[in-house]
Amino acid sequence: MPFLLRTAMAAMLVVLASIPVAEAQQVGDTIELNAEHADGVPLHAGPRPSMTGRIADGSGAEVIGATADKHWLNVRLPDGRTGWIVPRYIGRVVPSPSVPAKRPALQDQEARVWASRTGCLDVVQAGGRLPKAEPRSRRLATWNIRWFPIGGAPGQDSATPTDMEWLACAITWLDTDLVAVEEMLDTRQAQASLAALLGRLGDLTGHPWRAGFQQCGGATAQHVGFLWNAGTMHVADARDEWRLNGAAHSANNPCAGNLRPGYHARVSSLGGGPDFHVIVVHADSGRSERDLGHRERARDRVADVAAQLARTDQDIVILGDWNTMGMDGGISDRHEIADLEAVLGRQSVAFRHLKPEMQCTEYFEGTGGWLDHIVATRAMTELRPETVRVSGYCAVARCAPLSRSAMPAAYRHLSDHCPVVVDLTNSDRD
């Protein structure tokens, strides 16, 4: 072989050998890990030094994501755990795509999370999470947590208190960055329970959590508000929005009729992600003409609220318990939902209704209903409408009728409602 050709080939081999193994990886590849330490390969909570454990030498893993510079790989292990590694620990790419052994399907994992507190903790402590559209996606959720923390109206003897440990575990598994919550009390007991919940969320997620709620209303009244991961989201400009209480006529009495106002905040993702307005709502419940009138009045006022907010940013998300249950005497729940979608879709700041595949978010007397909704302005391109999803025991049951005498444990110990989630691309496009 001529000298110059040998030299060129040798140089090319040197270049190829210098390319990091991660450069050859694609999402879905199976890799075999090669440890440099007797205890195994370090597994990190995020794409940064944040070790949560080690993986045995020779273990298989599936690549499910990577940072843009390929300095960190997001992997899923055969036991269902997920985490991050640096690419120098890749021993080889396994030719067969059929490696990891017996990892539980998402449906199996979800069933365990909502079956019991113990099942949830087993999944979460093993690293299980509800997958996001992308590893860096941000996630919003709405969840009516029935009369937190007593589980029923004050004085209702049959109520089961909220299981705080299970609730913290479930929110952790949902992997959400901000949760719009409804039916939160403000008594001393509720404040103590909230502090315990936030502390446990911090323990399970590795980030501090914060909370904020509407300012009007007595301690034993239902409140709306937000729980958020302060390690990923910044929340500011929080205030009551009286116009989203259909019984209110001015800012002087936002809790008129013993109902809830909307609660607004300005949210930004830490590290340069999306920023937007978010509002949680909890509309009047009931099937009387008066109840429906309150809901329709609040719905019709969204146009004024959105026009005001759009002066600073047209990215607006409104989510919560809209109580779209129709009216006795001829208006069905589906008719009310269609009206909500049509009215919000044709106003000057137009919204789109994000529709999950499973359209039930709560159970009443064994039958699923669709009361909890997420709408967002059409201008908000960071939001991923295809990712909207109902979880909880509603998803496990797939909205099928349930026995009124044997409702799931999550119904009794968490809420009669189920959480709804949606993902956002972690970039600011406006």
Side-chain angles (χ1 to χ4, degrees), residues 146 150-161 411-413:
R146 179 187 52 208
I150 59 177
Q156 182 180 326
D157 295 336
S158 61
T160 302
Y411 174 93
R412 300 192 305 272
H413 294 279

Side-chain angles (χ1 to χ4, degrees), residues 2-345:
F3 174 77
L4 288 178
L5 180 58
R6 289 201 308 272
T7 303
M9 290 183 66
M12 182 173 67
L13 289 172
V14 169
V15 170
L16 289 173
S18 69
I19 297 176
V21 179
E23 290 292 319
Q25 305 308 287
Q26 301 292 329
V27 171
D29 281 353
T30 297
I31 56 177
E32 184 178 285
L33 299 176
N34 182 25
E36 299 175 357
H37 189 282
D39 291 339
V41 173
L43 182 68
H44 299 266
R48 61 190 180 284
S50 51
M51 193 172 76
T52 58
R54 289 184 180 269
I55 313 164
D57 182 46
S59 295
E62 179 187 3
V63 178
I64 59 175
T67 56
D69 56 12
K70 301 294 182 71
H71 290 169
W72 290 87
L73 294 179
N74 193 201
V75 298
R76 180 184 288 115
L77 304 177
D79 60 5
R81 286 183 297 161
T82 61
W84 295 80
I85 64 168
V86 291
R88 75 168 185 267
Y89 294 111
I90 298 175
R92 67 188 182 101
V93 178
V94 180
S96 170
S98 62
V99 193
K102 296 184 181 178
R103 97 164 175 267
L106 173 60
Q107 291 83 355
D108 296 335
Q109 189 181 105
E110 190 163 38
R112 291 170 61 197
V113 167
W114 300 106
S116 68
R117 177 207 302 167
T118 301
C120 182
L121 289 170
D122 286 347
V123 169
V124 163
Q125 290 171 350
R129 300 291 187 272
L130 180 63
K132 289 183 173 178
E134 302 167 352
R136 295 182 66 251
S137 294
R138 296 297 186 230
R139 175 170 287 163
L140 307 181
T142 178
W143 195 1
N144 180 322
I145 307 174
R146 179 187 52 208
W147 288 100
F148 175 96
I150 59 177
Q156 182 180 326
D157 295 336
S158 61
T160 302
T162 311
D163 187 323
M164 222 57 59
E165 180 79 358
W166 193 356
L167 179 60
C169 179
I171 292 174
T172 301
W173 180 79
L174 290 169
D175 203 14
T176 182
D177 299 281
L178 180 143
V179 189
V181 288
E182 302 89 48
E183 294 201 18
M184 309 289 283
L185 302 185
D186 193 31
T187 60
R188 289 185 179 181
Q189 177 187 359
Q191 292 169 7
S193 296
L194 177 64
L197 173 64
L198 297 176
R200 193 67 182 112
L201 280 168
D203 295 338
L204 290 171
T205 65
H207 293 289
W209 278 68
R210 303 284 184 265
F213 302 97
Q214 71 187 61
Q215 297 302 301
C216 68
T220 59
Q222 296 177 349
H223 288 62
V224 297
F226 302 110
L227 311 177
W228 68 91
N229 184 334
T232 60
M233 306 293 266
H234 176 69
V235 174
D237 192 25
R239 62 179 185 273
D240 293 353
E241 178 46 73
W242 69 269
R243 286 170 288 190
L244 298 185
N245 172 4
H249 297 287
S250 75
N252 296 328
N253 189 10
C255 281
N258 199 33
L259 297 177
R260 290 76 41 182
Y263 187 65
H264 163 275
R266 177 74 175 160
V267 176
S268 56
S269 174
L270 300 180
D275 59 296
F276 51 93
H277 297 287
V278 62
I279 302 174
V280 54
V281 297
H282 185 189
D284 192 359
S285 176
R287 293 181 55 82
S288 73
E289 184 177 0
R290 177 178 178 273
D291 299 325
L292 178 62
H294 287 159
R295 294 196 293 271
E296 290 181 336
R297 191 173 300 118
R299 175 203 67 195
D300 293 345
R301 290 170 174 171
V302 168
D304 292 337
V305 174
Q308 180 180 343
L309 295 178
R311 296 170 189 166
T312 56
D313 192 339
Q314 290 196 11
D315 290 349
I316 307 168
V317 183
I318 306 176
L319 67 176
D321 182 354
W322 298 73
N323 270 319
T324 46
M325 57 185 66
M327 186 185 79
D328 291 334
I331 297 180
S332 70
D333 53 350
R334 293 290 167 159
H335 182 90
E336 184 176 349
I337 292 169
D339 279 353
L340 173 72
E341 183 176 298
V343 169
L344 298 187

Side-chain angles (χ1 to χ4, degrees), residues 360-428:
C360 75
T361 63
E362 57 84 38
Y363 271 77
F364 178 69
E365 297 184 345
T367 300
W370 190 13
L371 303 183
D372 306 271
H373 303 272
I374 302 176
V375 300
T377 49
R378 297 186 183 278
M380 189 171 179
T381 58
E382 297 92 342
L383 191 137
R384 302 281 297 272
E386 74 278 7
T387 65
V388 66
R389 187 182 196 280
V390 178
S391 187
Y393 68 90
C394 301
V396 176
R398 298 199 65 81
C399 296
L402 298 173
S403 170
R404 294 170 58 181
S405 60
M407 291 297 289
Y411 174 93
R412 300 192 305 272
H413 294 279
L414 296 176
S415 181
D416 52 341
H417 286 247
C418 296
V420 186
V421 302
V422 68
D423 290 358
L424 295 83
T425 298
N426 193 25
S427 61
D428 192 10

Side-chain angles (χ1 to χ4, degrees), residues 348-362:
S348 59
V349 180
F351 285 77
R352 54 184 169 177
H353 182 204
L354 309 184
K355 298 180 180 180
E357 176 189 359
M358 284 179 288
Q359 296 177 351
C360 75
T361 63
E362 57 84 38

